Amino acid sequence: MAVEGHRPSPIGRGMSTVIRTVVQGVWLGWKVESNWTNPFVFLTYLIAKPIAGVILVGLVFVIGSSASGMGSREDLFFYVFIGAVFFIYPATMTVSLAYLVHEDRAKYESLKHIYITPASLTPYIVGRGMASAINASVSVAVSLIIGSIIFSNHFSLPLSIDVVRVDYPALVASILLGVAASILLGIILYAINLITFKLQYSLAEYTTGVLFLLSGVVFPTSMLPYPASLIGGALPTTHFLNAVREALAGDHAYTSMAYLLLSTLALAVISLACMNRVESLARMKGTIDRKAEY
Amino acid sequence: MYAVETIDLSRVFELKGRRILALDGINIRIGKGEILGLLGANGAGKTTLVKILSTLLLPTSGSAYIHGHDVVRDAKYVRGIINLVSGGETPGYGMLTVRENLWLFSQLYGLSSGIARERIEMLIRDMGLEQYRDVRMHRLSTGYRQRLNLARGFINDPKVLFLDEPTLGLDVINAKHMRRYIRDWVDADGEERTILLTTHYLAEAEEVCDKIAIIYRGRIVAYETPLALKASLSDGVSIQVELLSNRTTKGSIVEEISSRDGVLACMLVPSQNVVEQGDHGGNARYDGSIDGLTRLRIMLDDDSKIPDLVSMLVMNGYRVLSVRRDQPTLEDVYMRYVGSMGNEES
Ligand SMILES: Nc1ncnc2c1ncn2[C@@H]1O[C@H](COP(=O)(O)OP(=O)(O)OP(=O)(O)O)[C@@H](O)[C@H]1O
Ligand SMILES: [Mg+2]
């Protein structure tokens, strides 16, 4: 039986299936991740945890800087605080996409059924990543506001953001690119977890740990030892955080944004190739519907 | 063109240096409008075959076609016209309602919203899920989740539907309903609809299937209509013997009888209780006995062997309560081809 009464051109049809799959992914991700049946747990996860993380980073800064007496305290605080807040995007999204394999495969037993639909996995993952980005945005906004209030009132560290000077178009564009880069990183983790079983939980933790060190969250990548600084410079997360800082400060953000765009494109090539390879590898190894190592 | 065709399909698993030949040169052809029952013991390769045909797993060699389309090269097309339901599983998202779960899949299959809504309502009605339409899945009982799972299998109105032990874990009534439903579903459009169903239950295969394939250690050892399979046994006689004994080693009597001249096969008949358990998905133990009562099903090449057999049993200390001649059943076919109902994994 023909599924639809009239058939649009194959390209239009292909495109619309991809978009529809993304939309389903977003919708499902929102439903699954925003656990309103247990609002307390959900709000803790969405708000309290990221704020705690940001405050921790801030406090380390306060202690560290008072000991070493470095340059302008405000500027450094701005660097660290914004870095920690916006790092919530890659951290949240890579973790949720890395866990997604295990959730769909073992917990909901739905992965094999999603896999055997004509829809591809990649747009589905992209949709799930976008849902995660919505949650991350809430965490970022709340951390930004509450964190800055706490630090300016209790540690006399005002966040020097002049709302009039902020380059909003650059900020929005940087966030969109940062979200895209985070999804692409998440796809790589998804791909690895799809063909393995040992790293279901740990992979995301390791990755966010390494990203935290290499992306210039609390100190510029130039301060890293040689090969690490090179890797840091190639990561879109580094340029994402720089671009956001510059846009917020009203500085010229376009160099960072250009780097962000380039590194995101490179990452897109890598992660789509990964996914492509892994989809057939998983089918060969039979890992799509297996719940554990055989 | 066949609905499903496999040519020398094989699949090898490498497991810790061991090679497991899960499928060994499978050749089957399922015509449109047919229900094929794939019958085999644990580990025989049923699920492996279903996984290859439903594009979840690649074969090691050989090829498989769904409506003429290669499951490996043309997977995208194949996926649009197949679906898969695995019994005993309840896939879906607990926080979504019954309708939302079905909606999700309707969209992944690219159904337009009008058709999707219509079909979802129809399936909800067919599966008796009306009062759970807007109930979140995590609040449904396992049986109702399985109905939802079955409904999902029909969401794209597949041309070929794979059912891997679909009645696993269902109670007797629900299992019966399901068999009736799938038979009616195929018959409603025999030009377009085909089912491959795997099962451990001979009665299930006999009840709904047009053809039966017996799979044993990755090979198809018999492939016929239920009638033809039974007819293939017409050269022998089947008898059912009821014994009473205090002996506890049931295995030895089966072996003893099996090794006798003229005995084609012998097995313990599971008692009613045991069969019920099996229907509920528990591990049926085919020890065939309650309180010392043993039921044996024996196939002989000739009925002149019956008296000898009975006297042998009596001499071994058994009390023979009854001996009954039976029509050959599929059970006999299975015994004949496979030898025992034991676990095949070595
Ligand atoms: N991913 C795998 N890795 C290694 N061996 C496997 C894998 N999947 C299946 N096997 C092996 O292949 C053989 C066939 O398994 P399969 O699951 O197809 O059997 P089955 O007939 O469906 O059995 P059951 O009735 O228990 O469901 C078994 O020996 C099994 O252990
Ligand atoms: Mg199986």
Side-chain angles (χ1 to χ4, degrees):
Chain A
M1 197 194 86
V3 154
E4 277 154 321
H6 69 101
R7 281 167 181 260
S9 73
I11 292 167
R13 199 178 143 81
M15 206 51 224
S16 82
T17 345
V18 168
I19 291 169
R20 254 205 281 193
T21 308
V22 173
V23 169
Q24 288 308 305
V26 175
W27 174 73
L28 178 62
W30 173 247
K31 286 272 190 179
V32 171
E33 288 198 21
S34 55
N35 182 6
W36 289 115
T37 49
N38 198 340
F40 180 74
V41 172
F42 178 47
L43 292 179
T44 309
Y45 155 80
L46 202 66
I47 295 168
K49 204 177 142 225
I51 292 182
V54 169
I55 290 178
L56 196 71
V57 171
L59 284 179
V60 169
F61 165 79
V62 169
I63 297 161
S65 69
S66 56
S68 66
M70 290 192 282
S72 157
R73 234 172 139 235
E74 268 78 35
D75 284 358
L76 263 174
F77 174 68
F78 178 86
Y79 184 94
V80 171
F81 184 76
I82 297 301
V85 167
F86 282 85
F87 187 70
I88 289 173
Y89 275 115
T92 310
M93 292 166 67
T94 49
V95 166
S96 84
L97 291 185
Y99 284 3
L100 181 57
V101 179
H102 173 75
E103 287 197 344
D104 278 353
R105 182 161 59 188
K107 187 170 168 198
Y108 299 116
E109 298 181 325
S110 55
L111 180 59
K112 68 171 170 183
H113 297 294
I114 294 171
Y115 182 82
I116 64 161
T117 65
S120 312
L121 273 184
T122 309
Y124 168 74
I125 305 168
V126 169
R128 295 293 303 254
M130 285 163 75
S132 174
I134 297 172
N135 284 343
S137 299
V138 175
S139 304
V140 165
V142 172
S143 305
L144 196 60
I145 294 164
I146 297 186
S148 58
I149 291 171
I150 292 174
F151 280 100
S152 77
N153 289 355
H154 297 279
F155 301 96
S156 51
L157 275 170
L159 195 62
S160 47
I161 295 178
D162 180 353
V163 287
V164 187
R165 283 194 61 206
V166 172
D167 185 346
Y168 290 101
L171 180 65
V172 171
S174 305
I175 291 176
L176 290 179
L177 280 171
V179 163
S182 304
I183 291 176
L184 293 166
L185 279 169
I187 289 178
I188 295 178
L189 303 191
Y190 186 101
I192 294 170
N193 278 342
L194 190 61
I195 49 167
T196 58
F197 292 88
K198 293 203 169 75
L199 304 170
Q200 298 302 311
Y201 299 103
S202 49
L203 184 64
E205 312 288 345
Y206 295 153
T207 310
T208 47
V210 170
L211 279 180
F212 186 85
L213 285 179
L214 297 183
S215 306
V217 180
V218 288
F219 50 85
T221 48
S222 53
M223 285 171 68
L224 287 166
Y226 164 64
S229 59
L230 208 65
I231 300 171
L235 287 172
T237 40
T238 307
H239 305 296
F240 163 59
L241 296 179
N242 285 339
V244 166
R245 286 184 190 111
E246 287 155 10
L248 281 173
D251 292 344
H252 183 73
Y254 299 103
T255 316
S256 295
M257 284 175 68
Y259 279 125
L260 172 57
L261 179 65
L262 283 179
S263 53
T264 303
L265 288 176
L267 185 62
V269 173
I270 296 169
S271 61
L272 295 183
C274 254
M275 200 57 208
N276 211 25
R277 178 82 192 92
V278 153
E279 267 195 73
S280 55
L281 208 59
R283 200 175 155 200
M284 194 169 83
K285 295 173 63 165
T287 55
I288 294 154
D289 69 330
R290 215 190 302 151
K291 290 181 188 109
E293 196 101 44
Y294 223 83
Chain B
M1 186 177 49
Y2 294 96
V4 178
E5 183 177 16
T6 70
I7 299 166
D8 293 332
L9 197 68
S10 295
R11 170 71 207 207
V12 176
F13 289 109
E14 306 273 352
L15 189 62
K16 296 180 188 109
R18 250 174 72 215
R19 270 171 58 92
I20 300 168
L21 189 52
L23 293 179
D24 182 8
I26 299 283
N27 289 291
I28 52 169
R29 288 171 166 180
I30 314 177
K32 291 177 184 167
E34 262 179 37
I35 300 183
L36 173 71
L38 188 62
L39 208 62
N42 292 133
K46 303 181 295 295
T47 301
T48 305
L49 178 58
V50 165
K51 277 162 72 167
I52 290 174
L53 294 175
S54 57
T55 76
L56 277 170
L57 187 70
L58 292 178
T60 308
S61 63
S63 40
Y65 303 90
I66 308 285
H67 278 242
H69 294 265
D70 190 316
V71 295
V72 177
R73 266 175 292 136
D74 219 354
K76 188 128 184 146
Y77 179 88
V78 168
R79 286 173 183 155
I81 60 167
I82 60 161
N83 212 326
L84 163 69
V85 175
S86 306
E89 284 187 7
T90 54
Y93 296 89
M95 60 295 286
L96 299 187
T97 66
V98 164
R99 202 164 39 170
E100 286 171 336
N101 269 298
L102 291 173
W103 175 259
L104 169 69
F105 282 98
S106 75
Q107 294 311 291
L108 296 179
Y109 278 103
L111 267 61
S112 71
S113 34
I115 288 176
R117 248 177 247 126
E118 212 172 275
R119 196 167 295 152
I120 288 168
E121 283 312 311
M122 183 193 80
L123 288 170
I124 283 176
R125 235 182 302 120
D126 288 355
M127 300 300 155
L129 284 164
E130 291 100 327
Q131 77 250 55
Y132 300 104
R133 183 186 281 111
D134 296 308
V135 174
R136 288 171 185 231
M137 187 182 140
H138 66 76
R139 303 191 54 185
L140 301 185
S141 74
T142 312
Y144 279 91
R145 285 185 210 181
Q146 290 191 327
R147 292 187 192 195
L148 172 58
N149 187 25
L150 188 65
R152 183 197 45 70
F154 292 104
I155 194 75
N156 60 328
D157 195 19
K159 289 184 198 295
V160 181
L161 178 60
F162 299 101
L163 301 172
D164 194 9
E165 297 184 45
T167 55
L168 183 75
L170 291 185
D171 65 38
V172 180
I173 306 279
N174 276 311
K176 192 133 198 110
H177 276 152
M178 152 134 19
R179 288 193 286 267
R180 161 63 53 80
Y181 185 81
I182 62 179
R183 184 72 252 182
D184 289 348
W185 180 78
V186 169
D187 292 344
D189 190 354
E191 294 293 297
E192 286 293 344
R193 294 172 175 172
T194 305
I195 287 179
L196 190 159
L197 168 155
T198 81
T199 181
H200 291 128
Y201 308 126
L202 294 143
E204 179 163 293
E206 193 170 11
E207 187 181 329
V208 287
C209 298
D210 300 297
K211 277 200 183 153
I212 290 177
I214 296 179
I215 182 168
Y216 177 67
R217 300 198 177 187
R219 288 167 178 269
I220 302 287
V221 293
Y223 188 19
E224 293 280 4
T225 63
L227 271 178
L229 272 182
K230 282 196 259 180
S232 72
L233 297 180
S234 57
D235 52 330
V237 277
S238 308
I239 58 169
Q240 182 151 323
V241 182
E242 277 187 328
L243 303 169
L244 213 50
S245 93
N246 301 324
R247 284 176 53 172
T248 43
T249 46
K250 303 287 183 322
S252 60
I253 182 72
V254 173
E255 276 161 36
E256 225 170 299
I257 296 174
S258 303
S259 63
R260 281 176 72 89
D261 197 33
V263 174
L264 300 174
C266 173
M267 74 174 288
L268 287 156
V269 180
S271 63
Q272 212 50 44
N273 278 342
V274 177
V275 171
E276 289 277 295
Q277 249 183 13
D279 272 344
H280 282 89
N283 280 329
R285 284 183 56 227
Y286 292 94
D287 68 351
S289 70
I290 328 171
D291 303 334
L293 179 75
T294 305
R295 267 196 216 103
L296 294 172
R297 194 164 177 87
I298 302 166
M299 283 181 67
L300 300 164
D301 58 0
D302 192 342
D303 51 10
S304 67
K305 303 273 168 49
I306 297 175
D308 274 0
L309 186 74
V310 172
S311 56
M312 182 279 269
L313 287 169
V314 171
M315 272 161 58
N316 275 285
Y318 290 97
R319 272 179 63 195
V320 178
L321 298 181
S322 71
V323 178
R324 197 181 75 212
R325 239 187 113 143
D326 265 341
Q327 290 298 319
T329 64
L330 279 176
E331 199 117 318
D332 302 323
V333 179
Y334 194 82
M335 278 163 59
R336 178 105 181 250
Y337 284 104
V338 175
S340 87
M341 289 289 280
N343 195 307
E344 289 177 17
E345 274 170 310
S346 47

